[in-house]
Amino acid sequence: MKKFILFMLSVIMLTQSIGVIGMNATENIPDDLPSIEFDRQYWLEPGETAWYSFKAPAPLCYLTDMPLEEIDGCLCGWEVDSNSYYDKNGKFLGYISASNDPEAGGWTKFIPGDTYYLKVEAPSSKGVFFTLSAVKEAEPETSCEKESLVNKVKLISKAKKVDRFVPGEYNTLWDIYTVKEEFELTGSNVITSSSFFVTDYRVYFENSMLTADSGTVTYSSIERAAADSAELVKSYCSAPDKILSDSEYIYTANHYAYILEGKGNAVRSFDLLVPAGKTLIYTKDGYFRTAAAEELFGDVTADTWYTDAVLYNAEKSFMNGTGEGKFSPSVAFTRAQMVQMLANIDGADLEAYKNSESFTDVSSDKWYAPAVEWAYKNGVTGGIGEGKFAPERKVTREQIAKFLCSYAESKGALLPEGADLSAYPDSQSVSSWAKDYLSRAVALGLIKGTDGNKLSPLSNATRAQIAVISQRFDESVLKPLAPSTHKGSYFLEGDTCGFGTNYEIVELSGKEKPNVLYIGMASTNPAEGYGAVEAEYGAEFGCKTDYLTLEDLENGTAREKIMNADIISVGGGDSRMLLARLRKHGTDALLREAAAKGTVMSGSSAGAICFGVLGTSGIGDSRYENLNATGCVDLIVCPHGFEKARVNKVKEDLLKNPDRVAVVLGNSALEIKDGMYRIYADMEFMEHFDRGVIGMVYWSENGEIKTLDAFSHNIDWRPLSELGIYY
């Protein structure tokens, strides 16, 4: 197999070489060429030719159409049709290899820092993907002594409660750190490199996890001051380099310095963009990581019952330290601190509550006054009576229950029935006003028994105890029970799932004759499939129908068509081609915008994959790949759920990314509307064709795949928050 693949690669390369050299040894290089981004996937339409310029960041580069595969110890990709590269004079220099195997020519070698010009042509019969990547040669031994200092120089924005960042949209909720690295290099005419932690990717951040959205890499501002004996050759960002734990993702940027002679002294400084609330620690091995709780606070040790909760609260800015690097875990919590913590959890803008007037014992000049006023105006507290709040009084366990339940209810959370408190020996000591709140807090697992299985309702709580309770409250009450504010409407089907599909989609739109836009970009001919859409929606319902053309993508008319549609129907076919076309022209952002305003998003197969944050696509006869999709809805969408290999690929991703949720569909569809979801299937259709039905929800927990038979919810709509979707 390897020899056959290498033979085919060699034939293609030889054909390219003969064709280019035989026809024309030089080319007229077009002006103002775009600079190619390394490791980014590009797409060319059938028959399209594209030119790019690039500076070689490393001695070796390769160009490939498909992800690399290891064949007998060598990395091989699929050669891109008719690629060739030139120098600044237009002289043909060869083609760029897609294999590191010597039999296929090996990686193509370049002079680092020199500029080259790449020409890629797609055949008239099909479109072409290509990615240019760099390979670093083994580095010579070089002496390098360096010292790194991290100085926090500017805070863009305070941390806010953000459950998810939309993939592809850059957010500014970051702390900026400046790192200065001083080092001395010994060597002669050598290339050296240094790796360090940098997070200047477009990312979304959730539950202490940082996930890069490949294909949307951006670059931070990097400044370098170096001695005369050193000059910069090239700097670039790579993919995620290593994962230390579930909460520590390490990204690297490789910076090369060319030492002209002898010994060189250099100082480099660069900015690190870090999710707000995180603190960086230098690990002495060239990397940075986020700090643990015991590194943030000198009075918190590792592996106590409250250590994780302290870090959780600190990173989310729910509870901060008490000053001088301390958390004071054993100090009692006050009522003022309690409402300040809830205001922090809420992300409340306290500027509007500076004029305190609701309680006679809270003056406007106190640090806690805005939080107390916010709590009163939003129904979180009514005080202790007689117009007083008692801000400095230590908060009791039954008061904590009331604060938490009142806040949750003010946010629309659906609280359960209260637990039976009679099993606790001191249940009679619970104040009458507090019984309902405390019983609900016990039912939710927020308040648990103390020594002797007592409720201790009048006892005070320490800062460590409050940290644990607030983490439970955020994770088990606010997230799972709060109604989703997601506004999108979707009908995403795996296979054909019923006679009534179109009726259901029209009903989702809420209009008798909605405008329907068909997107057939998963096919070489975007008009393919439009006839069926016209027949199903135009003839059946009298809808006005249209389809998106390649010209619409290129000349900007796509926006008008997409924004005027009540229903957008995306057809099946080649998922990679579909997503590449959408991204190339920014149409993925238009789809997110349309989804947010309530347009019904419908899709089958590749069209269903299109709308998720990831989609599991089939490539070839047996190859499956999770593709970054438009991110309209924060799910992995897996159609054709009867294909075991496809579902296994979903499970692989979930084990690596436990915060993700996947919906697997087969002869069924995922419906979403008004923050609710269900799995839809036309049972009359299923029985008529004797088809089975799959509608499963998958996620991972403690290294195991968990499953929900979502088809059991076919009749009753369920809250999207069950799937972790909040928006």
Side-chain angles (χ1 to χ4, degrees):
M1 181 64 180
K2 173 190 170 186
K3 290 185 177 179
F4 173 74
I5 292 175
L6 294 178
F7 171 74
M8 291 303 297
L9 290 175
S10 300
V11 169
I12 294 171
M13 295 172 187
L14 180 61
T15 302
Q16 289 177 333
S17 300
I18 295 173
V20 174
I21 296 174
M23 292 176 59
N24 194 356
T26 62
E27 280 270 10
N28 293 321
I29 307 297
D31 297 329
D32 301 323
L33 292 182
S35 178
I36 198 167
E37 293 182 31
F38 282 80
D39 299 314
R40 172 184 165 185
Q41 187 177 79
Y42 288 83
W43 165 259
L44 294 181
E45 294 293 342
E48 183 180 356
T49 298
W51 281 88
Y52 300 89
S53 67
F54 67 94
K55 286 187 177 180
L60 304 176
C61 293
Y62 64 93
L63 193 72
T64 183
D65 172 21
M66 293 282 283
L68 297 171
E69 278 191 305
E70 184 172 327
I71 303 175
D72 295 341
C74 294
L75 291 175
C76 296
W78 292 104
E79 182 68 21
V80 176
D81 292 337
S82 188
N83 85 82
S84 51
Y85 70 99
Y86 304 82
D87 65 13
K88 62 182 179 181
N89 297 316
K91 180 182 177 182
F92 170 74
L93 299 176
Y95 53 86
I96 302 181
S97 172
S99 171
N100 69 335
D101 193 287
E103 295 178 39
W107 302 137
T108 310
K109 190 159 187 174
F110 296 87
I111 300 175
D114 276 10
T115 299
Y116 298 89
Y117 300 89
L118 172 66
K119 179 182 179 182
V120 182
E121 298 176 82
S124 59
S125 59
K126 66 175 183 177
V128 167
F129 289 96
F130 67 93
T131 299
L132 180 63
S133 299
V135 183
K136 185 171 64 176
E137 282 189 324
E139 300 170 8
E141 294 185 4
T142 303
S143 172
C144 179
E145 297 180 0
K146 58 187 177 181
E147 178 182 359
S148 295
L149 304 172
V150 181
N151 301 308
K152 187 172 179 180
V153 295
K154 181 182 179 183
L155 179 64
I156 295 179
S157 173
K158 292 183 179 179
K160 296 179 182 178
K161 185 185 177 186
V162 178
D163 290 309
R164 285 173 173 80
F165 291 155
V166 178
E169 292 185 3
Y170 191 66
N171 293 267
T172 57
L173 299 179
W174 308 99
D175 293 347
I176 293 183
Y177 291 75
T178 292
V179 175
K180 293 184 178 179
E181 189 174 69
E182 300 179 0
F183 58 98
E184 183 177 272
L185 296 165
T186 303
S188 179
N189 295 321
V190 296
I191 294 177
T192 64
S193 70
S194 174
S195 296
F196 42 80
F197 181 99
V198 63
T199 58
D200 53 357
Y201 288 75
R202 293 182 181 181
V203 301
Y204 51 99
F205 176 66
E206 178 186 272
N207 296 336
S208 300
M209 298 191 71
L210 193 66
T211 306
D213 181 9
S214 62
T216 58
V217 177
T218 58
Y219 296 92
S220 65
S221 173
I222 300 176
E223 298 179 357
R224 175 192 290 268
D228 292 338
S229 60
E231 64 180 27
L232 177 65
V233 173
K234 179 67 180 176
S235 64
Y236 69 98
C237 290
S238 69
D241 188 65
K242 60 170 100 169
I243 299 175
L244 298 183
S245 70
D246 285 347
S247 62
E248 293 175 343
Y249 280 62
I250 301 301
Y251 296 80
T252 66
N254 297 316
H255 288 252
Y256 295 91
Y258 187 67
I259 309 305
L260 298 180
E261 58 183 39
K263 197 182 269 192
N265 296 313
V267 178
R268 48 181 149 212
S269 72
F270 49 91
D271 288 343
L272 300 180
L273 302 180
V274 182
K278 294 286 188 181
T279 301
L280 291 183
I281 298 293
Y282 182 53
T283 63
K284 307 299 183 185
D285 61 355
Y287 294 101
F288 294 86
R289 62 174 174 77
T290 54
E294 62 272 18
E295 294 168 322
L296 293 177
F297 305 108
D299 55 352
V300 175
T301 57
D303 301 324
T304 69
W305 57 271
Y306 56 81
T307 302
D308 290 343
V310 168
L311 182 61
Y312 185 92
N313 279 267
E315 289 187 343
K316 290 182 174 288
S317 294
F318 294 171
M319 292 176 65
N320 299 311
T322 55
E324 299 180 351
K326 294 183 178 181
F327 185 79
S328 305
S330 60
V331 173
F333 216 51
T334 67
R335 288 170 54 82
Q337 291 171 332
M338 187 73 196
V339 293
Q340 181 65 58
M341 182 192 74
L342 290 174
N344 293 342
I345 290 174
D346 188 76
D349 181 3
L350 297 181
E351 288 294 318
Y353 300 94
K354 281 189 173 180
N355 296 322
S356 180
E357 56 185 24
S358 299
F359 298 105
T360 58
D361 58 347
V362 178
S363 59
S364 297
D365 60 347
K366 296 294 187 180
W367 63 267
Y368 50 75
V372 173
E373 192 69 12
W374 164 83
Y376 177 75
K377 292 288 178 61
N378 288 276
V380 177
T381 183
I384 62 171
E386 299 180 353
K388 295 183 178 181
F389 179 73
E392 304 290 352
R393 187 178 296 178
K394 296 174 183 177
V395 69
T396 65
R397 285 164 60 84
E398 65 180 15
Q399 288 172 352
I400 292 169
K402 183 181 187 307
F403 276 121
L404 296 178
C405 290
S406 296
Y407 173 73
E409 289 177 331
S410 76
K411 304 305 291 184
L414 306 174
L415 299 182
E417 293 295 324
D420 182 4
L421 301 182
S422 61
Y424 297 92
D426 59 345
S427 60
Q428 296 302 315
S429 63
V430 179
S431 301
S432 58
W433 61 263
K435 287 182 179 179
D436 182 58
Y437 298 112
L438 191 58
S439 65
R440 288 174 182 250
V442 169
L444 290 166
L446 303 177
I447 303 291
K448 299 183 179 181
T450 59
D451 293 342
N453 194 34
K454 293 182 179 180
L455 285 171
S456 306
L458 303 180
S459 297
N460 304 131
T462 65
R463 287 173 55 82
Q465 292 169 336
I466 292 292
V468 172
I469 290 172
S470 68
Q471 182 178 5
R472 291 176 190 158
F473 182 60
D474 186 48
E475 292 181 331
S476 65
V477 178
L478 298 183
K479 286 185 178 180
L481 297 180
S484 173
T485 58
H486 180 67
K487 300 299 183 183
S489 296
Y490 298 86
F491 191 90
L492 308 181
E493 58 174 321
D495 301 314
T496 302
C497 63
F499 298 119
T501 295
N502 298 329
Y503 291 90
E504 191 73 16
I505 295 171
V506 170
E507 186 174 331
L508 279 176
S509 74
K511 295 186 178 182
E512 185 177 349
K513 296 181 179 180
N515 292 332
V516 180
L517 177 66
Y518 175 67
I519 299 179
M521 295 297 166
S523 300
T524 303
N525 176 11
E528 185 178 332
Y530 174 62
V533 171
E534 166 59 25
E536 292 167 355
Y537 290 99
E540 185 78 19
F541 296 97
C543 299
K544 180 181 177 181
T545 64
D546 198 357
Y547 71 96
L548 209 61
T549 68
L550 291 174
E551 291 75 16
D552 290 328
L553 298 183
E554 294 168 358
N555 63 26
T557 54
R559 165 171 282 278
E560 181 180 358
K561 286 189 176 183
I562 288 174
M563 293 307 159
N564 287 337
D566 300 307
I567 296 172
I568 292 176
S569 176
V570 183
D574 188 329
S575 302
R576 293 179 76 220
M577 180 168 64
L578 166 67
L579 294 167
R581 281 172 162 172
L582 295 177
R583 286 200 189 93
K584 181 176 181 180
H585 300 284
T587 313
D588 56 336
L590 295 180
L591 292 180
R592 288 194 292 272
E593 185 178 343
K597 78 180 186 70
T599 303
V600 176
M601 299 299 191
S602 170
S604 178
S605 191
I609 285 171
C610 162
F611 293 112
V613 65
L614 283 179
T616 307
S617 176
I619 306 241
D621 295 332
S622 60
R623 189 178 200 166
Y624 292 92
E625 183 178 21
N626 284 329
L627 303 174
N628 288 297
T630 63
C632 290
V633 62
D634 197 5
L635 289 169
I636 298 175
V637 181
C638 176
H640 314 302
F642 295 104
E643 299 173 11
K644 292 183 179 180
R646 186 187 294 262
V647 177
N648 287 337
K649 187 65 178 179
V650 172
K651 293 178 180 180
E652 287 178 16
D653 184 81
L654 291 175
L655 289 173
K656 297 176 183 177
N657 301 280
D659 285 339
R660 287 178 174 160
V661 176
V663 176
V664 176
L665 304 165
N667 294 329
S668 60
L670 171 68
E671 269 191 289
I672 295 176
K673 186 175 178 63
D674 296 331
M676 306 292 285
Y677 85 97
R678 72 171 177 172
I679 301 297
Y680 171 89
D682 186 328
M683 296 311 298
E684 179 184 351
F685 178 87
M686 298 298 115
E687 293 171 2
H688 182 78
F689 287 100
D690 191 25
R691 291 189 175 186
V693 175
I694 288 180
M696 307 297 290
V697 178
Y698 290 90
W699 69 97
S700 66
E701 191 175 293
N702 299 323
E704 296 182 3
I705 297 295
K706 301 293 184 179
T707 306
L708 167 68
D709 182 0
F711 182 67
S712 64
H713 299 318
N714 182 56
I715 303 301
D716 297 324
W717 289 81
R718 307 288 296 179
L720 265 177
S721 53
E722 283 188 346
L723 306 184
I725 299 177
Y726 300 93
Y727 288 87

